[in-house]
Amino acid sequence: MKGLPILDLVIIVIYLIGMIGVGIYFSRNNKNSEQFTKASGLIPGWAIGMSIYATFLSSNTFLGVPGKAFGGNWNAFVFSLSMPLAAWVASKYFVPFYRSTGEISAYTHLEHRFGPWARTYAVVCFLLTQLARMGSVFFGIALSLQALTGYSMQMIMVIMGLCIIIYTVLGGIEAVIWTEVVQAVVKTFGAVLILYLIIANMPGGVSKIIEIGKSADKFSLGSLSPDFVSSSFWVVLLYGFFINLNNFGMDQNYIQRYHTATSAKAASKSIWLCVWLYLPASLLFFVIGSSLYAYYELNPDLIENIRHQVAIERLPVHASATEIRNMAKSLQPADYGDKIMPHFMVTKIPVGLVGLIVSAILSAAMSTISSGMNSSATVFTVDIYQRYFKPDITEKQNLSLLHISTVVFGLLGMGAGIAMIGVKSILDVWWELSGIFAAGMLGLFLLGIVSRQTKNHEALIATLIGIMIILWMTFSAHLPDEYAFLRNSLNKNMIIVVGTLSIFLIGVFLTKLKNKNLKSAD
């Protein structure tokens, strides 16, 4: 723990004031709900692509990926390799579909296809996903800033949350997108700067990093055997494809951006710009993680403080010094990977540059949280309040509700982040929660798009069965030993794969069965 030098604090404060200033600037045009949610469809495609890229490049990437690479290998990079295929499907089918509907919500069409229950179910899944995403991002930024400042994680989340709420409420989606354009540049520059500083402090430079990385198998993408129990290459590839398909095809964060574009072509191009920016950027963070592993392998004494801190966090407050020491010795790299980059920043980055890098991490968090707040408020207003409580809402009331909802979801995201304090890996928590919540709505969405003959009855049965399968895969690990044979043996990242396919395939099967029975009756 240490306090930040005045120069670094000034840089961070200037950055935060600048972000709020952007919100104030765009608040001049933010006079109606269409401007707040769609920016009147006047945003250029390149800016939307940068915005989507910034949303992907959250603090989960900035801190979680280096921590994952430090504690393991490059297996999680396979997630990024799945993006081009998901982007192709989205740009070819999903973007034209959403642009043609004209509906700001990604879930309105589900009611047209299957009834109100389908729309409501997808909305609930989306909102839970957003709370998990915002919570993990709040936690990630607080973890980093706590190491730098010594302030409590709760206090950091509250201060950051209030700043994000202010500029998001004032500026709407236009402020979100343009601040994310700036944030995309800042966070990418910050990552390059961190890697440069690691190499500069590394005896032997790049060649030594490669040597140590090879000897520890740090560059492996995972086993290529058909193994769906461990985190193999194929498990992460399948998980990545389905999650990215959900991101580009069902996530209101991205669907809303398609509507801000000047044309469907510009919206499609924005997806590809995001993919080609994110692939090398995510690789950069894995390189950072492996480089940090090599650095600390050559400086093992520096690890002791981190292990000691983690041991204190995991043990009861009344634990003895001997218990803390024994716990610290037993910890493996995967147990403290998320704390490695903040520790390096505290101890090795010069005054002034720390402020720039913290601003980059802040931008990584702010872009994801602000877009999550805006999209959650939009979905709540359109799909819940207007649908069930006040269909004849006036324009003034609609805009006020969007503002209030943005604040509420920002506060709920903060609460989720506080609840995550103490988790082992940011990336693992986010992957698990997003897979659980996204599986159901993606399966239902694909059923509605692909199987045009499927009606309400078949979709409802398929969804209920799919939910039961998702719940079983999620919680069966807690079954007593006498029921061990009923536990899910697949990797937890397979939940979205199995859950999505279950709903889709069961729905198709029931539809074919119904059609066959109708033909037999004729």
Side-chain angles (χ1 to χ4, degrees):
M1 301 290 187
K2 74 171 187 178
L4 283 176
I6 296 297
L7 177 60
D8 292 309
L9 287 172
V10 169
I11 291 171
I12 295 169
V13 170
I14 289 173
Y15 172 77
L16 293 176
I17 292 174
M19 292 298 98
I20 294 174
V22 170
I24 295 173
Y25 175 81
F26 285 110
S27 68
R28 300 178 303 169
N29 301 324
N30 189 23
K31 302 303 181 184
N32 55 65
S33 57
E34 184 180 6
Q35 179 65 26
F36 189 87
T37 59
K38 293 185 179 181
S40 300
L42 299 175
I43 306 294
W46 67 266
I48 298 170
M50 293 280 284
S51 171
I52 298 174
Y53 161 69
T55 302
F56 264 97
L57 203 62
S58 68
S59 60
N60 291 345
T61 302
F62 220 103
L63 297 171
V65 167
K68 195 74 172 170
F70 178 91
N73 52 33
W74 288 9
N75 174 237
F77 179 62
V78 180
F79 174 92
S80 303
L81 298 179
S82 71
M83 288 182 69
L85 181 56
W88 179 82
V89 174
S91 61
K92 187 172 178 62
Y93 299 106
F94 296 161
V95 171
F97 170 77
Y98 284 116
R99 292 282 302 194
S100 66
T101 65
E103 300 283 357
I104 185 60
S105 169
Y107 314 113
T108 305
H109 75 281
L110 286 174
E111 180 170 357
H112 301 324
R113 283 288 286 115
F114 302 128
W117 70 267
R119 179 181 184 177
T120 303
Y121 170 68
V123 166
V124 170
C125 287
F126 169 75
L127 293 178
L128 289 173
T129 304
Q130 289 312 297
L131 289 178
R133 173 183 280 156
M134 289 190 288
S136 63
V137 171
F138 267 120
F139 170 65
I141 190 66
L143 184 69
S144 177
L145 293 186
Q146 182 194 42
L148 290 164
T149 64
Y151 293 120
S152 72
M153 296 177 72
Q154 292 90 337
M155 181 185 295
I156 292 168
M157 290 187 204
V158 170
I159 293 173
M160 293 308 309
L162 291 177
C163 291
I164 298 169
I165 287 171
I166 290 170
Y167 88 76
T168 305
V169 169
L170 288 175
I173 190 65
E174 190 172 11
V176 169
I177 289 175
W178 285 111
T179 52
E180 285 178 339
V181 170
V182 176
Q183 289 163 353
V185 175
V186 171
K187 64 182 71 174
T188 304
F189 172 75
V192 172
L193 180 59
I194 289 172
L195 181 59
Y196 168 77
L197 292 171
I198 296 171
I199 295 173
N201 282 278
M202 181 75 186
V206 175
S207 59
K208 192 64 177 178
I209 291 172
I210 295 174
E211 177 189 333
I212 294 174
K214 282 183 176 180
S215 64
D217 199 26
K218 285 292 171 181
F219 307 128
S220 169
L221 295 178
S223 170
L224 293 175
S225 63
D227 174 14
F228 298 101
V229 176
S230 64
S231 185
S232 66
F233 178 93
W234 304 111
V235 165
V236 179
L237 186 69
L238 285 170
Y239 170 84
F241 173 71
F242 279 87
I243 280 290
N244 285 314
L245 200 61
N246 180 77
N247 287 338
F248 292 134
M250 276 294 291
D251 194 319
Q252 179 69 21
N253 276 304
Y254 306 95
I255 308 306
Q256 199 162 329
R257 284 168 172 76
Y258 303 158
H259 290 292
T260 66
T262 54
S263 65
K265 185 177 181 180
S268 295
K269 285 184 176 180
S270 70
I271 295 176
W272 285 109
L273 177 60
C274 164
V275 170
W276 301 133
L277 288 174
Y278 186 76
L279 272 171
S282 63
L283 178 61
L284 174 63
F285 284 100
F286 281 97
V287 172
I288 288 173
S290 298
S291 300
L292 285 171
Y293 177 84
Y295 173 79
Y296 283 100
E297 276 289 292
L298 295 181
N299 301 276
D301 53 305
L302 298 179
I303 290 289
E304 297 307 316
N305 289 336
I306 301 176
R307 287 180 172 176
H308 186 78
Q309 179 185 347
V310 173
I312 291 174
E313 292 174 357
R314 294 194 178 184
L315 288 171
V317 292
H318 57 271
S320 66
T322 301
E323 289 175 321
I324 294 173
R325 188 164 50 250
N326 291 337
M327 166 68 85
K329 288 180 180 178
S330 68
L331 293 174
Q332 299 300 312
D335 295 319
Y336 49 85
D338 285 344
K339 297 185 179 293
I340 286 297
M341 195 151 79
H343 181 270
F344 182 83
M345 292 168 61
V346 168
T347 56
K348 291 297 177 182
I349 297 180
V351 174
L353 292 183
V354 175
L356 290 173
I357 293 174
V358 170
S359 297
I361 297 176
L362 288 175
S363 70
M366 294 173 79
S367 60
T368 302
I369 295 171
S370 60
S371 60
M373 288 164 51
N374 186 278
S375 59
S376 296
T378 301
V379 164
F380 173 79
T381 301
V382 174
D383 292 299
I384 296 180
Y385 192 80
Q386 290 183 25
R387 173 64 180 80
Y388 294 106
F389 298 102
K390 196 168 185 179
D392 58 343
I393 188 171
T394 65
E395 178 58 40
K396 184 178 180 180
Q397 290 172 334
N398 195 25
L399 186 59
S400 297
L401 181 60
L402 284 167
H403 290 162
I404 294 170
S405 302
T406 301
V407 174
V408 170
F409 282 107
L411 295 175
L412 289 174
M414 271 191 270
I418 292 171
M420 290 182 184
I421 292 176
V423 301
K424 181 178 176 181
S425 170
I426 306 171
L427 200 62
D428 284 346
V429 169
W430 164 234
W431 277 21
E432 184 172 359
L433 292 176
S434 61
I436 293 168
F437 297 139
M441 64 176 178
L442 179 58
L444 184 60
F445 172 76
L446 292 176
L447 186 62
I449 292 290
V450 177
S451 183
R452 302 304 301 175
Q453 293 182 321
T454 301
K455 303 302 180 185
N456 177 35
H457 183 68
E458 299 83 50
L460 179 58
I461 294 175
T463 302
L464 290 173
I465 296 174
I467 291 173
M468 287 189 289
I469 291 172
I470 292 168
L471 291 174
W472 166 71
M473 294 186 70
T474 303
F475 299 109
S476 62
H478 302 292
L479 288 171
D481 290 339
E482 56 265 33
Y483 299 108
F485 65 97
L486 294 176
R487 293 173 183 167
N488 167 39
S489 60
L490 295 177
N491 187 277
K492 60 188 176 183
N493 288 332
M494 290 295 291
I495 293 175
I496 187 173
V497 179
V498 176
T500 299
L501 292 177
S502 295
I503 294 175
F504 176 73
L505 294 176
I506 291 171
V508 171
F509 171 76
L510 292 175
T511 302
K512 290 185 178 297
L513 187 63
K514 180 192 72 173
N515 292 339
K516 183 179 179 180
N517 291 336
L518 289 175
K519 287 180 181 179
S520 299
D522 293 340

